[in-house]
Amino acid sequence: MEGVTAGRRQASLSVWKLRTFCLITGASRGFGQQMAKRFAAKLPASSFLLLAARDSASLSATVAAITAANNEIRTKSWVTDLSALDETSVSSYLGKIFEDNSFSPSDFDQAIVVHNAASLGDVSCFACQQSDGTALDAYWKLNLTSVLVLNSSFWKYFTSEIVIQRFTINISSICAKEPLKSWAIYCAGKAARDMLFSTMALEEPSLRVLSYAPGPLDTKMQVEARTLTADTELRNMFHEYVPGAPLQLSAILK
């Protein structure tokens, strides 16, 4: 498990004691879904969870499970393709959320945005074989551009003058630090996101910033890794992986 913290505040308040507006992307399954459930269990009453993902059915099931477990936390699903968002559409949607629920950003003490949504990219070939410009553009839009656009729109509503604490979380990976054969696009995307958030922490002293790498997870991305990875040694390692155990990367990180 790896975590990289950044950002400066004179005093940080307990995340779990403040009435919070929280946006989590990629919340319909896997790690994002579990984070949403955990946040709902720990945040105080009258907090609001906005869960974003493309899968409407899975997202609705997540919202239903959270509501059944804790009806004091208001939860809303946002079915959207993050890669297609622009500042206007994000701002418009957030404004509608405030209007429909009869609250404003000033009704909250804390704002949190969790950037969990991500894709693996094309791992079926090596870096010098990456020639599909359309696919590459789509990858960067989801994994980088959408993060910037979402941050910009979100923090315009929740400024340091409006809420007393602001917190942004980037779900990272060891791949941000270590190159893996045939995973050039994924590694580059994670490294770029880490640097983006590190820079943001320097630029925005009032913003608490966390880049957190949870380690290997038994998710849909693991299935893709086992079946699509071009590098034989890396693919075999994923085949031998036991959920809950650390990946044995030392043999392939030369």
Side-chain angles (χ1 to χ4, degrees), residues 17-235:
K17 294 181 179 180
L18 299 174
R19 186 184 181 193
T20 300
F21 186 102
C22 178
L23 167 60
I24 302 176
T25 68
S28 62
R29 58 168 62 93
F31 188 60
Q33 182 187 64
Q34 295 306 311
M35 283 189 75
K37 291 179 178 179
R38 186 64 172 164
F39 275 42
K42 294 182 71 66
L43 287 171
S46 299
S47 292
F48 188 91
L49 282 178
L50 179 58
L51 307 181
R54 290 180 296 180
D55 188 332
S56 176
S58 296
L59 200 54
S60 294
T62 302
V63 170
I66 289 173
T67 302
N70 183 1
N71 60 14
E72 293 185 334
I73 300 292
R74 288 177 289 177
T75 310
K76 170 72 175 176
S77 62
W78 182 13
V79 181
T80 185
D81 179 358
L82 294 173
S83 65
L85 294 179
D86 56 27
E87 185 179 11
T88 300
S89 61
V90 175
S91 295
S92 175
Y93 186 81
L94 289 175
K96 189 174 186 304
I97 288 291
F98 301 141
E99 181 180 352
D100 290 349
N101 290 276
S102 301
F103 56 58
S104 69
S106 61
D107 290 319
F108 297 91
D109 302 313
Q110 175 177 246
I112 300 174
V113 57
V114 181
H115 296 279
N116 170 67
S119 62
L120 187 58
D122 185 1
V123 296
S124 67
C125 61
F126 297 95
C128 288
Q129 300 168 333
Q130 295 281 355
S131 59
D132 188 338
T134 300
L136 290 169
D137 285 346
Y139 181 83
W140 304 128
K141 284 187 71 176
L142 173 62
N143 293 277
L144 292 177
T145 304
S146 73
V147 172
L148 286 161
V149 170
L150 203 54
N151 267 336
S152 175
S153 301
F154 188 86
W155 296 122
K156 283 179 181 177
Y157 278 107
F158 294 100
T159 66
S160 58
E161 290 76 27
I162 295 292
V163 292
I164 62 176
Q165 183 157 266
R166 306 188 302 158
F167 201 161
T168 186
I169 302 172
N170 166 46
I171 302 306
S172 185
S173 167
I174 191 176
C175 297
K177 309 294 184 184
E178 298 286 355
L180 298 178
K181 292 178 182 179
S182 72
W183 279 39
I185 305 306
Y186 185 76
C187 291
K190 287 299 185 183
R193 271 172 63 150
D194 272 17
M195 184 54 70
L196 187 162
F197 281 88
S198 293
T199 303
M200 188 190 312
L202 293 175
E203 295 174 344
E204 303 288 341
S206 68
L207 188 63
R208 295 181 68 183
V209 179
L210 171 68
S211 282
Y212 173 71
L217 302 168
D218 194 24
T219 63
K220 181 181 178 182
M221 192 176 287
Q222 274 282 341
V223 176
E224 294 177 2
R226 289 193 292 266
T227 57
L228 300 176
T229 297
D231 183 68
T232 302
E233 194 173 10
L234 182 58
R235 187 174 65 252

